Amino acid sequence: MASKPSIPKGTRDFSSTEVAKRNYIFSIIKSNFEQFGFQPIETPSFENSDTLMGKYGEEGDRLIFKILNSGDYLDKVSDEDLTAKNSRKITTQISEKALRYDLTVPFARYVVQHQNELEFPFKRYQIQPVWRADRPQKGRFREFFQCDADVVGSNSLWQEVEFVQLYDTIFTALGLKGVHIKINNRKILSGIAEVIGASDKLIDFTVALDKLDKIGEDGVKKEMLEKGISEAAIEKVQPLFNFTGTIPEKIEKLATLLASSNEGLKGVEELKFICNACNELGLKSANLDIDVTLARGLNYYTGAIYEVGAPTGIAMGSIGGGGRYDDLTGIFGLKNMSGVGISFGLDRIYLVLEELGLFPETVTTTSKALFINFGEAETLFSLKAISQLRQNNIKVEMYPDAAKMAKQFQFAEKKGIQFAVLVGEEEIKQNQYKIKNLISGAQETVSLDQLIEKLK
C-alpha cells in the first residue's frame, strides 16, 4: 500500500494565492532596494562546507544542513572512526557541501571571488531561500526566504543611517506602520565585557544577553554563570536588564557605564551619530530605539547591529535584522573591506500582514473573467477576444470543455472569478459579448472595446 505523501517538518507548500501575496511583498522590497541603488545578484543554494562552517558561532554551526557526498560516501571513513561514532569527525569526511544558512556569508565569498569585476562601494540585494536545521514553530521554518541588502567597501556611518531609512520606507510601503527598529553596537558590548572583566567571555556574554526577551533576566544570568562569567561581573551589568529612557538618556547612561573603555565609547559615538541623523531626517512610520541587550549571536558583526520587531501587540519574532561587519571578507582573504547589511524576514512579514489584514484585495492570481465554452465555433470566436484582452494585461481564461453551464459557473465561483463572458450563436452574429457579474448577477451585452474597458 502506498504511503501517504508528506513534506519535511519546517517546510511548506504554497497555493497560488499565497504565492501571489509573497510576490506582492517581493515586488515592494525589490522596487525599494533598487530605488536605494542596490543591484541584484544570486548565489548557489549550497556552498562548500568550509565556506559556511565557523562563521555563525557554535549554535549556528549546529543548524547548518550538511549534504552527503555523492556515491559511496562512507568509502573514505575508517573502521576506527565508525566504531568510535565520532559524528563531528565523520561529518567532515562524508560531507563536503552544505545548504546555505544565510545570504551574507555567501555574499562575502562572492565579493572576494569577483573582486576584480566589481566597482566599490558595491551595493547588492539578494532574495533567495536559506535553510536552517532549527526546531519548527510559529514564524520559524527550516526553509525560508531571506531578502538582503548590503554595501561593502565603505566605512561611512551614513550607510547605517540609510539602512534605517530603507527599513522605514519598505515597511511603510507594505502598510506595516509602527515597526520597532532596535539598534545597538558590538563595540558597546565589547566595552561592557571589558569593564566587567569578562573580555575573554565576550561571545558567551553576548549570546546569553541576546536571549533576554526569550528566557528572561534569571535565565540569562543562569546561562552566564554556566559559561564561567562571575557573579561579580554579572552584578556590574545589572543596569542592562532594565535599561529605559529616551535615546539621548540611554546614550548618556552608556557613556557613563563605559567611561573606562575606549572601544565602548567609540561604539557609543557611532550610535549617537546614527540616531541623531535619523532623528534629523525623520522616519515615516517606524520607531527607532537603542536596545543594549541586542547582540545577535553571530560572530561576524563588529559595529552597528539592527533588529526589527513587529508593531506592538503582534506576537512574532524579529522580522528583520543585520549589522556592520568590518572583517567578514577577511576570512576569505580580502582584508580591509568593511560592509554593512540588513535582512528582511519574508515569512514572518507575510504572517504579520495576514494577521493585520494588510494585503490589498487586488493581490491575487485569479482570472478577472471566465469565458463559457459553448462549442468549437464559439470557442474560436472567444479566443480571438481573449487574445485582445490579454494584450491589455487583463487576466482571462477559457473553460476548456463544452460542459454543462452549471459546472462552468461552479468552476468560476470556486476560483473566485468575478465575471463570466457568454458567447453564443447570436453574439457571434452581432459581434458582441454577454458579460455577467457573478457576484451581483447583473449582465449586459457589450462590444469588444466595451468589454476591455469593463474588465480593466
Side-chain angles (χ1 to χ4, degrees):
M1 184 176 178
S3 60
K4 185 178 179 181
S6 63
I7 58 175
K9 289 182 179 179
T11 65
R12 297 150 294 162
D13 290 321
F14 297 104
S15 68
S16 58
T17 299
E18 290 168 329
V19 171
K21 290 179 175 179
R22 286 162 67 85
N23 286 342
Y24 165 74
I25 298 173
F26 283 144
S27 66
I28 288 179
I29 292 176
K30 282 181 181 178
S31 63
N32 283 285
F33 278 168
E34 290 175 3
Q35 277 194 347
F36 276 66
F38 294 88
Q39 298 176 312
I41 68 164
E42 291 188 356
T43 59
S45 298
F46 55 93
E47 298 271 352
N48 293 324
S49 295
D50 56 9
T51 297
L52 303 178
M53 298 298 290
K55 312 303 190 300
Y56 306 101
E58 188 177 337
E59 288 192 17
D61 281 354
R62 285 200 296 268
L63 300 181
I64 292 175
F65 275 109
K66 285 78 174 177
I67 300 173
L68 287 175
N69 294 338
S70 57
D72 186 0
Y73 54 84
L74 287 175
D75 184 50
K76 296 179 182 179
V77 181
S78 67
D79 291 340
E80 183 182 349
D81 287 340
L82 280 174
T83 304
K85 296 182 178 180
N86 186 332
S87 59
R88 288 189 179 182
K89 187 174 181 180
I90 291 174
T91 297
T92 60
Q93 299 175 59
I94 66 175
S95 173
E96 298 171 354
K97 300 176 182 64
L99 293 176
R100 60 172 172 245
Y101 176 91
D102 74 350
L103 299 178
T104 306
V105 170
F107 170 56
R109 189 267 309 151
Y110 176 94
V111 170
V112 175
Q113 196 169 338
H114 299 275
Q115 57 186 287
N116 295 326
E117 307 158 27
L118 302 176
E119 191 67 39
F120 295 102
F122 177 55
K123 300 175 75 171
R124 85 83 166 87
Y125 76 84
Q126 196 171 347
I127 301 177
Q128 289 185 276
V130 299
W131 295 266
R132 296 182 184 180
D134 215 341
R135 178 177 295 176
Q137 54 184 280
K138 182 183 178 183
R140 179 174 292 175
F141 307 100
R142 288 176 172 172
E143 178 186 59
F144 57 96
F145 267 81
Q146 279 190 341
C147 308
D148 283 13
D150 288 78
V151 184
V152 290
S154 172
N155 295 303
S156 172
L157 290 175
W158 288 111
Q159 304 290 357
E160 276 84 342
V161 173
E162 186 174 58
F163 278 123
V164 174
Q165 292 181 304
L166 182 57
Y167 267 139
D168 178 48
T169 299
I170 288 176
F171 284 119
T172 301
L174 288 168
L176 193 56
K177 299 179 180 179
V179 300
H180 300 279
I181 303 173
K182 296 179 287 186
I183 188 170
N184 196 13
N185 194 297
R186 282 298 286 260
K187 294 183 179 72
I188 287 174
L189 295 168
S190 298
I192 293 170
E194 179 186 340
V195 166
I196 66 175
S199 292
D200 61 327
K201 299 284 186 180
L202 174 61
I203 298 300
D204 293 331
F205 170 76
T206 55
V207 167
L209 192 63
D210 197 33
K211 298 177 182 176
L212 182 62
D213 61 338
K214 299 182 184 73
I215 61 178
E217 181 179 336
D218 290 341
V220 171
K221 288 180 176 178
K222 180 183 177 184
E223 183 168 326
M224 286 183 175
L225 286 169
E226 290 173 351
K227 295 292 185 179
I229 299 171
S230 69
E231 288 190 21
I234 295 172
E235 185 63 31
K236 289 180 181 178
V237 298
Q238 182 62 39
L240 299 182
F241 295 116
N242 187 28
F243 201 74
T244 58
T246 64
I247 287 179
E249 288 170 347
K250 289 180 177 180
I251 292 288
E252 189 175 338
K253 289 179 183 178
L254 285 171
T256 301
L257 179 65
L258 298 170
S260 62
S261 170
N262 290 332
E263 178 81 350
L265 288 176
K266 186 177 179 182
V268 173
E269 285 303 309
E270 290 181 5
L271 262 191
K272 184 177 180 180
F273 177 89
I274 297 165
C275 292
N276 285 350
C278 290
N279 181 61
E280 185 71 23
L281 293 167
L283 297 177
K284 297 175 182 178
S285 69
N287 303 304
L288 179 66
D289 198 10
I290 293 172
D291 183 354
V292 290
T293 69
L294 177 60
R296 295 188 65 82
L298 303 180
N299 288 348
Y300 51 70
Y301 291 131
T302 55
I305 42 181
Y306 305 96
E307 190 162 279
V308 183
T312 303
I314 303 298
M316 184 63 67
S318 66
I319 57 176
R324 165 74 66 172
Y325 41 86
D326 284 337
D327 56 0
L328 186 62
T329 57
I331 59 180
F332 298 118
L334 182 60
K335 303 294 183 182
N336 303 316
M337 183 64 75
S338 184
V340 58
I342 59 173
S343 180
F344 290 79
L346 170 79
D347 296 293
R348 290 183 177 182
I349 292 171
Y350 181 105
L351 292 173
V352 173
L353 294 181
E354 189 89 313
E355 185 172 339
L356 295 175
L358 293 176
F359 283 110
E361 291 182 8
T362 54
V363 177
T364 178
T365 56
T366 301
S367 297
K368 194 72 178 287
L370 174 71
F371 278 71
I372 302 300
N373 191 324
F374 287 104
E376 189 174 320
E378 292 86 348
T379 297
L380 185 60
F381 183 86
S382 296
L383 285 172
K384 293 176 182 178
I386 287 172
S387 295
Q388 292 293 315
L389 289 163
R390 288 172 177 166
Q391 286 177 27
N392 281 273
N393 295 316
I394 301 170
K395 291 184 280 190
V396 291
E397 60 185 284
M398 185 84 206
Y399 195 83
D401 305 303
K404 292 181 179 180
M405 281 185 61
K407 183 177 182 180
Q408 297 188 51
F409 279 124
Q410 188 179 50
F411 174 82
E413 183 182 345
K414 286 183 177 179
K415 287 192 67 176
I417 298 173
Q418 186 178 354
F419 295 97
V421 180
L422 299 89
V423 177
E425 289 183 12
E426 190 62 33
E427 283 76 26
I428 293 176
K429 288 179 184 178
Q430 300 295 326
N431 198 25
Q432 291 185 319
Y433 306 83
K434 187 178 291 183
I435 180 171
K436 181 175 182 177
N437 187 317
L438 298 178
I439 298 174
S440 67
Q443 65 181 40
E444 58 182 312
T445 301
V446 297
S447 67
L448 179 57
D449 288 341
Q450 290 172 323
L451 182 65
I452 291 171
E453 286 302 312
K454 285 189 174 293
L455 294 179
K456 270 187 176 178

